[in-house]
Amino acid sequence: MLVSLTLHQFALIAQHELSMAEGFNVITGETGAGKSLLLDALSLCAGERADSAMIRHGAAHADIYAQFDVANNALIAEWFAEHDRALDEPDVLIRRQLSQTGRSKAWLNGTPVSLAELKSLGTLLVNIHSQHAQQALLKPQFVVQWLDAMAQTTTLAAQTASSYQHYQQLKRRADEIASREALRHDRIQLLQSQLADIEPLLAVDYTDIEAEHEELSNIEALMMEASHGLHLLDNDTDEPDVMTLLGQAIKLCDNQLGVSQTFEQASEQLHLAQQQITEVTGLLSDYAEQQLPDPERLQTLDNLIGLSHRLSRKHGLPAVDLIEEANHWQAQLEQLENEPSSDAMAAQIEQAWQQYLLLATKLQKAREKAAPHISEQLVQQLQPLALPNARCEFVFTKKPDPSQYNAQGCHDIDLLFSANVGMPMQPLHKIASGGELSRMALVMQVLQATNADNDAAKPMLVFDEVDVGISGGTAQVVGELLRKLGQTQQLLAITHQAQVAAQAHQHILVQKHHDEQTESELVILTDSAQVDELARMSGGVTITEVTRDHARSLLTGVK
């Protein structure tokens, strides 16, 4: 329940705090006084987008505060838990700030909150019904959605729509696959051919085979160089070699070990050098005396290098990069080979279609079962509104072709209406007058609001221009209807009809003052002030005792 609404520098209101009654609150005032400002403020606190034009002229920013009593409201408690927010008090305070830059900020119980979060919370706190609801009645979509809300088949309808969308997505994907089937086949063949060409290179390292080929191509010259190097290091001839000279140097140093530390260090290093040269002579000896490699190995290397050069020219890549490119080809090939064909998807599409038909049939049966009772409720509420002969009926017509089925199901749904005896019922948009549409819209909104789970905390209902197309005795009945609804649920409504306003539990007047800067003022009316306002609404600018007496008569007997 909305406890209070505080406006600061908002549109024509400089500063005002308004307390709200529990039941039926009504807003009245001259045209242009700013009656819709309260609805705009509530919309902002419910997460709607802001407009810097709502800031009062000359002010840097505007602030709106809405305080809601959410004691024992399980839905609100659940929302706070789902969003990891603490709800320590029975009140919720929403603050919305608008700036001249076009940006806005929002807080929930003093903590910043995103507009998405605020909007989801707002649906649990406030339910605003537009003055354009009667235009919505002319759209078949509205009638279907309203029927689902009344029949409590909204969840099943959402599942049916989701199933249909899944079916459509599979169909589109299959069509896309079929359209590129030929290209896919050609690409697979090309990749397979490229991978077959490069397959011999996949098991080797190009850098290694290139180095091995270079060595084997010069093996005889390298063996001769190894023999020559071995001869220089150690030979059995009279020619001096490194090992002989090194042995002499070691002997010289060893003879002076006890005389100088330098000779001791030199001897140690020379012995190490002798060991290393011995190892080198062994390596050169083995290399020089090895058998010549198999000519077939050199031929194999020749073939691999030739293949590498050919593929390098063909694909415009350095030979060392071919293996990495081949890995990309392999990944592409696997992706294409694993992509389902249009034929393979046919089974998935059929399964999705059957699932959709199952849900659509279940939804249709639920709608048809609930429709008679719902149309009866409509008639019962319409007849007191100067429509004593009103008749309503939902008609379900199965679409002739399955290709015409859609997210709403397999049937077209029309709400037929007749206001006159002996006249056949026809779809609303063909026969209903503006006044009839407005009354139908009001009744449908009230029924939907009262159809909610009685155990659940209901959001505040807001009706914009509730009296469109009605007057006189009909307005009296509408007022009584809203007052009765206010006994179980908080309401706020804008009206131009005195008969409606007289039924309110709290009457709020919006009036303009033209001083240095125009300003709107909110006043809660009681006693004589309320009588004067009802008299103005009934009789115009000039208020007489006659119009006051009429206003008092409207208040007499209000229950």
Side-chain angles (χ1 to χ4, degrees), residues 85-100:
R85 289 179 175 270
L87 183 61
D88 302 322
E89 300 292 335
D91 291 334
V92 166
L93 180 63
I94 296 172
R95 177 190 176 191
R96 190 77 185 272
Q97 185 178 81
L98 286 60
S99 69
Q100 291 287 6

Side-chain angles (χ1 to χ4, degrees), residues 513-519:
H513 296 291
H514 301 283
D515 297 323
E516 293 182 2
Q517 186 176 346
T518 301
E519 183 175 339

Side-chain angles (χ1 to χ4, degrees), residues 42-69:
L42 276 175
S43 296
L44 289 171
C45 290
E48 291 300 323
R49 294 198 172 275
D51 185 345
S52 59
M54 296 179 177
I55 302 173
R56 183 170 169 76
H57 177 68
H61 55 79
D63 289 276
I64 304 102
Y65 299 82
Q67 180 183 359
F68 292 88
D69 180 357

Side-chain angles (χ1 to χ4, degrees), residues 379 381-391 417-420 433 435-437 439-440 443 474:
V379 170
Q381 296 288 349
L382 284 171
Q383 287 179 342
L385 299 179
L387 293 172
N389 300 308
R391 289 178 295 143
F417 171 77
S418 174
N420 302 303
S433 65
E436 290 166 349
L437 282 175
R439 279 171 276 183
M440 177 71 80
V443 167
T474 303

Side-chain angles (χ1 to χ4, degrees), residues 263-277:
F263 282 92
E264 184 176 342
Q265 293 175 355
S267 176
E268 182 179 345
Q269 294 297 321
L270 288 172
H271 277 92
L272 289 174
Q274 188 180 48
Q275 293 176 7
Q276 291 176 345
I277 291 174

Side-chain angles (χ1 to χ4, degrees), residues 6 27 36 63 82 109 171 183 185 188 193 197 201 218 243 254 265 276-277 296 342 350 401 403 410 512 529 548:
T6 302
I27 303 173
S36 62
D63 289 276
E82 288 177 354
N109 288 345
K171 278 190 62 180
L183 295 177
H185 180 70
I188 288 176
S193 174
D197 281 346
L201 298 180
N218 299 279
M243 289 296 286
D254 287 347
Q265 293 175 355
Q276 291 176 345
I277 291 174
E296 291 184 1
S342 54
E350 178 60 23
D401 191 329
S403 64
C410 309
K512 273 185 182 179
R548 284 193 179 94

